Amino acid sequence: MNRIDAVSKDYRSLNKMIRESEDDVAVDGALGQRFIAAGLEKNKIEITGTPGNALGAYLNGAEITVIGNAQDAVGDTMNEGKIIIHGNIGDAAGYAMRGGKIFVKGNAGYRAGIHMKEYKEKKPVMVIGGSCGSFLGEYQAGGVIIALGLGDEERDIVSNFPCMGMHGGKMFLRSECKNIVFPHNVVTSKADADDMAEIEEYISEFCEYFGFNKAEILNSYFTKIVPDSKNPYKQMYVAN
């Protein structure tokens, strides 16, 4: 593994070194450098410290692990690969994400999964171990978002205005969601056995990375949220 000391390096020089490496890379001392591993197709990148905005943007097959927190726009428009965060993430994680997986041990900020989409075999997945800020899954058009609410069971698993404009994909929240107000464009229900079988592989992978008890999580109450129509904006159209 090729080790890179990120201290005193700007994001251009750091990313140049990552791209030129033929081997897996360990980045030490990251401190806000943006666009780390953007568009990368191969190798594993392990980062200690705090990478800056747009970590793994347009990722196309590489695997990124962060031992720490990450800032905004993690996995922006990523196409394939994995991003594993052993901490919390900022806002707009997975913006327009169209493939691959994001796993976060801790909490997510606002607008996680905004504009997430899928096409044919491409199905993006985001698993948030803690809770999420407002506008989770805003305009979601595909893929799967899972939030587990681990670490602070008294806190609502998601803040205000989840699923606004959602018109595709699925969301699973490990909560009965009694205090959460959902918009009229979605339908909520208790996840059944088939639903749980669908997300078991993602929960299993999450637990392997972060050491949680898979059986305990899967035996919890999950709320499933899906769009109530494939055309949620039809009420805005004028009929002929």
Side-chain angles (χ1 to χ4, degrees), residues 1 10 12-14 16 39 52 108 114 123 143 149 169 182 184-185 189-190 210 222 229 240:
M1 177 175 283
D10 65 13
R12 290 186 180 89
S13 58
L14 176 59
K16 185 174 185 292
I114 179 174
K123 179 184 285 189
F182 292 96
H184 296 302
N185 57 284
S189 61
K190 180 181 179 181
F210 304 123
F222 276 80
S229 169
N240 293 327

Side-chain angles (χ1 to χ4, degrees), residues 128-148:
I128 309 296
S131 58
C132 304
S134 298
F135 297 102
L136 175 67
E138 186 178 27
Y139 303 119
Q140 184 181 352
V144 177
I145 298 173
I146 303 169
L148 301 175

Side-chain angles (χ1 to χ4, degrees), residues 59 61-65 78 80-84 100-103 205 209:
L59 196 70
E63 180 176 314
I64 303 170
T65 299
M78 69 181 285
E80 193 58 80
K82 293 181 185 178
I83 302 177
I84 303 155
K101 300 175 184 177
I102 297 176
F103 296 92
E205 194 167 359
Y209 293 137

